[in-house]
Amino acid sequence: MPTYSLKINGTEQQLEADPAMPLLWVLRDMLGMVGTKFGCGIGQCGACTIHVDGQPMRACSIPASALVGRDITTIEGLASDTNLTALQQAWIDLDVPQCGYCQSGQLMSAAALLESKPNPSDDDIDAAMAGNYCRCGTYVRIRQAIHQAAASKTAMFYDATEKNQEDLV
Amino acid sequence: MSLHNDNKNLIETVAEKVEQQQLAESSSDGFSRRGFLKVTGIAGGGLVLAMTMPSIPSFAQTSNDLESTIELNAFVRVGSDGKIQIYAAHPDIGQGVKTALPMIVAEELGVKWEDVDVLMAPIDDRFGRQGVGGSTAIPRNFQLLREMGASAREMFIGAAADAMNVPRDELKAENSRVVHSSGKSMSFAELAKLGIQNQPVPDPGTLKFKDRSEYTILGSSDITGIDNYNLVNGNPLFGVDISIPEMKYAAYHKCPSPRGKVVSANLDDIKKLPGITDAFLVEGNGDARLLLDGVAIIGTSTWAVFNAKQQLEVEWDYTTASKDSWTDMVARAEAGQNQLGDQIVKEVGNVDNIFADAANKTIQSHYQYPFISHICLEPMNCTADYRKGENGVDDTVELWPPHQFPARAYEVAEQVFGMKKEQVQINPVTRVGGSFGRRVYGEYISEAIAISKQAGVPVKLTWTREDCMRHDFFRAGGFQTLKAALNPEGKLVAWQNHFVGITVGDRPASGARLRDVEFPMLNLDHVKGTQTTFNIGTPCGPLRAPSANATSFVVQSFIHELALAAGRDHLEFLLEIMGEPRWFEPDNDRSLNTGRAADVIKLAAEKAGWGKTLPAGQGLGLAFHFSHRAHVAEVAHVSVDANKKLKVHKVTVAVDVGPIINMSGARSQIEGSVVDGLSGMVGQKITMENGEVEQTNFHEYPVLRIPATPEIDIHFIESEYPPTGLGEPALPPLVPAVANAIYAANGDRVRHLPLTDQGYSV
Ligand code: FES
Ligand code: FES
């Protein structure tokens, strides 16, 4: 069995695995990182969404061996230590999850969206999140939580720069 | 493998029991009332006493947390820091009971929610019935859990009365303290150290409960899901996340036509594939609810076994397999739909005379809805560790079943493997990734047991999405012909329904029968309900709001048709049918109350701006449906363009389920039900030919996504009736509300679902 190394949530992981094995199953069955979920296996549900170099991808549909040298982020790496991102906090505050099974994937898609569009419109949210199915129908709150996280991020940024306001104008 | 087949005398299978229970719980007929009384009879007496008696010495769990806490009753423990531990004894399948039920205990106890730790309860008789279904978790447990909270509270009050040397009735518990009328107070933490375990357990009959006006926890919007932090961090919570020492991964492959028998498979080739450690045939017992024949594949990863599954070549014997064809079912039903059924469900007055009267206007319509699938996002799975006993010791099995009734695994183990309860250890799983009535059957548990037993290793069995979609217990499709008469004043005077339903193995499929209490049959002087059934081989079962999820569409769409035929406003026409406020079934306070119905109908209409003028191509649709003891009315606001592209802008929902326990959770259930109802009606349809289900994964079974999600505007009437559940009842009215709104928008009456079959898209 070939060995290779993957950089996951900032840590290099040595693996001995079939090169064809999708990242999803490397994470879940070999590394015990089970936050990334299996829903369909064919790229249709988004439960397995992770980031590769910051881009959202479906871990069920990419062989792990193709990701050597890339930066992989999973739901377990979204928060730094116990500091939740604004998005995770909004998810808790607005009580988004029902069963919760899809939510790792939802959060990863939403996090990538906010990276590229810090203040997304409803259309941006529709476009970025349409690949993530929620069987329980938490979409109303997902939308609210993304807006809330975007607002709190902007607010944080604004606060931090407030003391420089005079210089700016 | 050997199967325990001498259980023919166990007449009721697990699944049948569950189904009966669900039917009983979801319906409001006399049968269910007897069942309810029986349960409350126990809960009001012996059960509660058993639950309030501390049983520390016999308690099996031994984590540090538990060692340092004192048990006050089955559900409540207190730590020396005053933190209260409350057991969540019911599976959280996304309906929020793991948060809502402990809130009931906490409220009566007088503890601050921040001081509560919710613990997962083991599967143990001392917690009573640890199952969920039929939107009954709240109504079944509300009183019981109040008693648990109040009982523990009285022990704190007793300890405080002793310590402060004041009479009990001058004390009350609030914010994790016992407060004296003088203002002096002691914290739960202080009291926990003063021998609270020596306080007498109060007699349940003496317990007093808070008035709603005193609630600080119940009804709160601020209390959010107990597992949210773990969920947003991706921590292991689900059955599919379980890992145990020596565990191997398993897949199971069954005949695509249910109940086909396995003859042979290319096992030698499969065993040579990378990561595969074993493969073998499993002999089932022909019961889809217990164990069907199949091929088991064991390996070192889920991917290895899924991959190998695709390379299986199996010879099946189709003699006993389902031969069902959806096309044939439709043809058969349509051929008979203008006749009446051979089974008379209800007959009052004489509908034929009323229909024959030329002064009356008679209308008839055929409605049809397809089979649909549960598609829980967490696939069916179960982890099993079967150990052969040595030296005359019995075999044992340890299980982790994601299930609505985890303790059913005892019955499955007995019925399929002849194991006694003592041989079976069932572990609760922290969360279940959706269920919707799917996880009431035990076949995936049996499969895991059978595989672990035969392979001699612990296994985690995971189904592929294709397995989940093809080997479901579907919501049965159905065909209903309604006929009604309006008198010259435009009043509904006669109602007839011919229901073409389904039986499986000669038992009616869940929801596939006409109920004699179906609205509005009890409200009219001339009624006839008849039924025809045909037997099929496709497994069917309860799906969120069984019966109501389809019948609402038929009945509430047809009422709209009648209002239009009478030239009357739908709202006014519907309220007239409701009539005077009363229980629909006399003396059954679990039945429809026409006053509560009228109130939610009026509220939904008012909030949605019923009667307002809308631009061309837009419409409002109204519907009410009573199910699971809940009164729910919804108004949908839609646009439909010339290409039948549908946009549901907004759904206004008015609900009376009594007082709300967890406001955030209650709203979530309604939001989810609206999305679920819409998802189902838009494009979902399971078809089968030669017994084989034709849809395999989400690309062939469309699900509603975020762009098509409407705004959802929710209003509660928090009446004084006892609180009831919300996991299901907001789904049924959605379907006819949207269908009626489509008519209002473009004049097209939708009588067949899904909408995509009628040329619609979203
Ligand atoms: S599991 Fe990857 S998209 Fe569904
Ligand atoms: S919360 Fe259950 S699938 Fe999304």
Side-chain angles (χ1 to χ4, degrees), chain B residues 216-457:
Chain B
T216 56
I217 291 176
L218 296 190
S220 166
S221 306
D222 301 333
I223 294 177
T224 58
I226 209 76
D227 290 323
N228 281 357
Y229 181 87
N230 284 325
L231 282 167
V232 302
N233 285 289
N235 295 334
L237 297 166
F238 297 91
V240 81
D241 299 339
I242 281 161
S243 181
I244 58 172
E246 311 296 317
M247 183 184 89
K248 292 270 188 283
Y249 300 84
Y252 193 57
H253 193 74
K254 288 177 285 209
C255 183
S257 300
R259 281 182 301 280
K261 294 187 80 60
V262 67
V263 178
S264 65
N266 57 338
L267 297 175
D268 292 336
D269 298 341
I270 294 294
K271 284 191 232 178
K272 286 187 203 116
L273 293 172
I276 300 303
T277 55
D278 204 354
F280 46 82
L281 307 185
V282 173
E283 185 196 338
N285 61 7
D287 187 337
R289 296 162 300 182
L290 290 175
L291 184 63
L292 290 181
D293 276 24
V295 186
I297 305 172
I298 322 255
T300 54
S301 72
T302 314
W303 178 74
V305 296
F306 281 7
N307 208 26
K309 194 171 183 304
Q310 290 184 334
Q311 300 181 50
L312 264 178
E313 288 162 20
V314 190
E315 190 193 331
W316 302 106
D317 171 358
Y318 286 91
T319 319
T320 53
S322 166
K323 313 280 188 301
D324 289 348
S325 154
W326 169 248
T327 325
D328 289 353
M329 283 184 222
V330 173
R332 222 171 129 179
E334 286 180 348
Q337 65 189 2
N338 286 322
Q339 291 117 47
L340 285 176
D342 48 357
Q343 305 152 39
I344 310 276
V345 175
K346 189 174 186 74
E347 189 157 21
V348 178
N350 188 330
V351 287
D352 294 328
N353 287 349
I354 308 295
F355 293 146
D357 185 340
N360 293 331
K361 195 169 187 178
T362 299
I363 294 106
Q364 174 171 296
S365 291
H366 304 295
Y367 283 84
Q368 181 184 308
Y369 44 87
F371 287 69
I372 58 175
S373 173
H374 293 83
I375 49 169
C376 309
L377 198 54
E378 181 189 9
M380 298 306 112
N381 68 91
C382 184
T383 301
D385 185 359
Y386 192 101
R387 301 277 161 153
K388 295 238 185 323
E390 281 165 17
N391 306 323
V393 178
D394 282 341
D395 295 0
T396 58
V397 70
E398 189 169 1
L399 296 166
W400 288 260
H403 202 272
Q404 288 184 220
F405 299 82
R408 299 287 182 201
Y410 292 127
E411 294 166 49
V412 170
E414 183 189 358
Q415 294 183 342
V416 184
F417 303 94
M419 297 180 84
K420 294 187 288 289
K421 195 172 175 184
E422 310 78 72
Q423 295 170 265
V424 181
Q425 160 80 37
I426 305 170
N427 300 296
V429 297
T430 311
R431 297 194 70 74
V432 179
S435 192
F436 313 99
R438 172 61 181 88
R439 297 182 219 255
V440 299
Y441 298 100
E443 87 285 24
Y444 54 92
I445 301 173
S446 308
E447 290 168 7
I449 300 175
I451 296 169
S452 177
K453 182 178 181 182
Q454 199 159 338
V457 289

Side-chain angles (χ1 to χ4, degrees), chain A residues 24-25 37-49 57-61 131, chain B residues 377 697-698:
Chain A
L24 171 65
W25 300 112
K37 294 293 192 265
F38 164 71
C40 68
I42 58 166
Q44 289 277 323
C45 76
C48 65
T49 307
M57 300 191 80
R58 311 293 182 217
C60 68
S61 307
Chain B
L377 198 54
N697 205 322
F698 294 124

Side-chain angles (χ1 to χ4, degrees), chain A residues 21-22 25 28-29 35 37 39-40 42 44 75 88 95 98-99 101-102 126 130-131 133 135-136 139 141 143, chain B residues 94 225 228 232 234 238 240-241 249 302-303 374-375 431 436 465 664 668 671-672 676 697 703-705 709:
Chain A
M21 189 186 286
W25 300 112
R28 291 187 57 82
D29 293 352
K37 294 293 192 265
C40 68
I42 58 166
Q44 289 277 323
I75 185 73
Q88 287 166 304
D95 203 13
Q98 287 184 33
C99 82
Y101 193 80
C102 71
D126 284 348
Y133 173 47
R135 171 64 178 94
C136 301
Y139 300 127
R141 294 194 193 199
R143 186 185 302 282
Chain B
N228 281 357
V232 302
F238 297 91
V240 81
D241 299 339
Y249 300 84
T302 314
W303 178 74
H374 293 83
I375 49 169
R431 297 194 70 74
F436 313 99
R465 175 55 52 196
S664 174
S668 274
E671 289 158 8
D676 194 0
N697 205 322
V703 293
L704 201 80
R705 311 277 179 159
T709 303

